[in-house]
Amino acid sequence: MASMNASLGYNQTTQPAQVSSGFMLRYLMAVVGIYLAVMTPVTITLAIRVAALAPDSKASSLGFILGVGALIAMVANPLLGQLSDLTRSRFGRRKPWVVGGMLVAVGALLGLGSAGSLMLVALYWWLTQIAINASLAALVAVIPDRIPKQQRGRLSALSGMSSNLAIFAGAAVINVVGTDDIWMFVVPGVLGLALVAVFAARYPEPEVAELPPKPFRPMAMLRNFLFDPRQHPDFSWAWLSRFLVQYGASVMMTYQVYYLMDVVGFSHVTVGKPVFVASLLMGGAIVVMSLLSGWLSDVTGRRKVFVFVASLVYAAGLALLMVGSSFAMFLAAILVSSCGLGIYLAVDQALVVDVLPSRAEDAAKNMGIFNISNVAPQSLAPATAPLFLAIGGGGNYGALFCAAAVIAVLGALAVIPIKGVR
């Protein structure tokens, strides 16, 4: 039994066995499913619902709901990830949380779809964030649990592009079901649950019988989050890089609907189709660049140069939004930024797993700490965006995207001090 656990990834010093392409495909679809449930509201439907309920304060209301939701996710992900690390069920450490979280998320999305006030919209969205992060924290931990180093670049590429594939899939779903009723929230959630269930049914999770039991101690769990950057500088620099780049990505994702409405001139009724076109372009660019970059990173054994170049390309895409206001310019910006994001997401997660502390026993917790760099910008972006938009009297999207581009460049610079990987 001990040798089985080592071969499957519970031994910090022994490489897990390589996984099949079928495993990678099922994993990709599961991550896409989780993001389909959460990113469709973030990028499309939540903005539409908020605009319908509070047309005169839509930007600030959306910023508050998403901002608080991101703060909740920032706490929930590492906390629930640590509970996954502690789990010793006959179904394993990860599957109960992966499936259970999505079941709760579907229920919360059902409530969100029927909510008739901003308060109910906010409450159901915050519950959705908790449930989604329970599922996501456990699923992300599968990589350090089960994936050997020589395959992490490719699986990181698949995982990295999953959120953008989900955005495209969500736009396609909304293009079919429309934006007028409950189904724009429920259908993405149900599809996400189905994809997660397929992965869980086929996942050969490492057995936990040989792992030492870890009692549930709330105060000890809280102390575990006191992370000292000086003890793990490579992990800390990787965290900072993701935080800065993700801020730029959060600005783009959160405000693309309002940019198309306020600058390009679409209405809340017609904005679904251009978002679908942009998502199609984004998804194609990210898939191509992610697969190519992940493969090249594994072949060359290099991570940092890909992350550095990707951050600069993404910043260039954001900068394009400052020089034009047409739909064609918006699509050009989406194409360039998506190429950069595809390269970045393909390699960045593999870099993080390579320098992850305590990979054998605390993978979900430490990946959850890293995931704070994903979700904190989702709170910071809508909280700070109104400050940039207000420059010059309001509606200054040029200032907003300029700030996001500069911060993304700083994210590129943050990978330079990392020494544990090339």
Side-chain angles (χ1 to χ4, degrees):
M1 186 71 70
S3 62
M4 176 183 291
N5 290 331
S7 68
L8 290 177
Y10 285 161
N11 187 311
Q12 182 79 18
T13 59
T14 304
Q15 283 291 306
Q18 292 197 32
V19 298
S20 67
S21 57
F23 178 98
M24 289 191 174
L25 178 60
R26 291 191 297 273
Y27 183 86
L28 168 64
M29 298 311 296
V31 182
V32 168
I34 293 177
Y35 279 121
L36 175 64
V38 71
M39 293 304 294
T40 306
V42 167
T43 58
I44 306 175
T45 56
L46 198 56
I48 292 171
R49 177 55 58 86
V50 169
L53 293 173
D56 296 331
S57 60
K58 62 181 187 294
S60 59
S61 297
L62 180 66
F64 173 75
I65 293 171
L66 288 177
V68 174
L71 287 175
I72 291 171
M74 184 171 64
V75 175
N77 191 282
L79 181 61
L80 296 173
Q82 190 170 178
L83 289 175
S84 174
D85 288 333
L86 296 175
T87 300
R88 299 291 185 268
S89 79
R90 65 189 183 93
F91 299 106
R93 293 196 291 179
R94 312 304 182 197
K95 286 193 284 190
W97 293 93
V98 171
V99 177
M102 283 301 294
L103 285 170
V104 175
V106 170
L109 289 168
L110 180 64
L112 180 58
S114 59
S117 69
L118 283 179
M119 179 57 71
L120 285 176
V121 167
L123 291 176
Y124 279 119
W125 176 244
W126 298 338
L127 177 59
T128 301
Q129 283 282 27
I130 294 172
I132 286 291
N133 277 277
S135 186
L136 186 61
L139 188 59
V140 168
V142 168
I143 296 180
D145 279 355
R146 188 66 181 87
I147 308 303
K149 185 174 183 178
Q150 63 269 27
Q151 289 186 303
R152 287 175 193 157
R154 277 163 284 180
L155 194 63
S156 178
L158 295 174
S159 178
M161 69 186 185
S162 60
S163 63
N164 296 91
L165 286 176
I167 292 171
F168 163 68
V173 169
I174 298 307
N175 201 43
V176 173
V177 303
T179 58
D180 292 330
D181 56 30
I182 191 173
W183 298 111
M184 67 178 180
F185 292 101
V186 175
V187 172
V190 172
L191 290 174
L193 174 61
L195 292 172
V196 163
V198 170
F199 172 79
R202 298 286 304 276
Y203 175 46
E205 182 157 4
E207 297 197 27
V208 297
E210 295 296 322
L211 284 173
K214 286 188 174 183
F216 176 68
R217 294 172 180 169
M219 294 307 299
M221 290 175 63
L222 293 176
R223 285 195 297 270
N224 281 342
F225 293 114
L226 299 177
F227 185 82
D228 187 353
R230 295 172 297 179
Q231 293 183 1
H232 305 285
D234 285 352
F235 181 75
S236 302
W237 283 114
W239 189 99
L240 180 61
S241 174
R242 172 63 75 94
F243 176 89
L244 295 172
V245 174
Q246 189 62 33
Y247 178 90
S250 297
V251 168
M252 173 77 82
M253 292 298 99
T254 303
Y255 285 92
Q256 67 169 341
V257 170
Y258 291 160
Y259 178 87
L260 289 169
M261 292 170 63
D262 296 341
V263 177
V264 183
F266 293 98
S267 70
H268 76 278
V269 176
T270 61
V271 75
K273 185 165 291 185
V275 169
F276 172 71
V277 173
S279 299
L280 179 61
L281 184 64
M282 177 189 299
I286 286 178
V287 167
V288 172
M289 298 308 295
S290 291
L291 294 176
L292 178 61
S293 301
W295 175 76
L296 284 174
S297 177
D298 280 344
V299 169
T300 62
R302 294 184 178 272
R303 313 290 195 203
K304 289 168 58 176
V305 64
F306 290 93
V307 174
F308 181 80
V309 171
S311 303
L312 295 180
V313 174
Y314 188 80
L318 288 173
L320 286 177
L321 292 173
M322 301 162 49
V323 299
S325 58
S326 66
F327 184 54
M329 183 60 73
F330 175 77
L331 291 180
I334 288 290
L335 177 60
V336 174
S337 62
S338 298
C339 287
L341 195 60
I343 301 170
Y344 184 90
L345 295 175
V347 182
D348 179 63
Q349 186 164 271
L351 183 152
V352 171
V353 174
D354 286 351
V355 299
L356 188 70
S358 304
R359 190 163 57 245
E361 295 185 356
D362 298 314
K365 183 207 72 174
N366 287 327
M367 290 299 287
I369 291 175
F370 179 73
N371 196 58
I372 293 174
S373 65
N374 269 332
V375 297
Q378 296 173 29
S379 176
L380 186 63
T384 57
L387 301 177
F388 298 109
L389 289 170
I391 295 174
N396 195 337
Y397 287 91
L400 175 63
F401 292 122
C402 178
V406 170
I407 291 172
V409 171
L410 294 177
L413 298 176
V415 302
I416 296 176
I418 297 176
K419 298 178 180 178
V421 295
R422 294 192 297 163

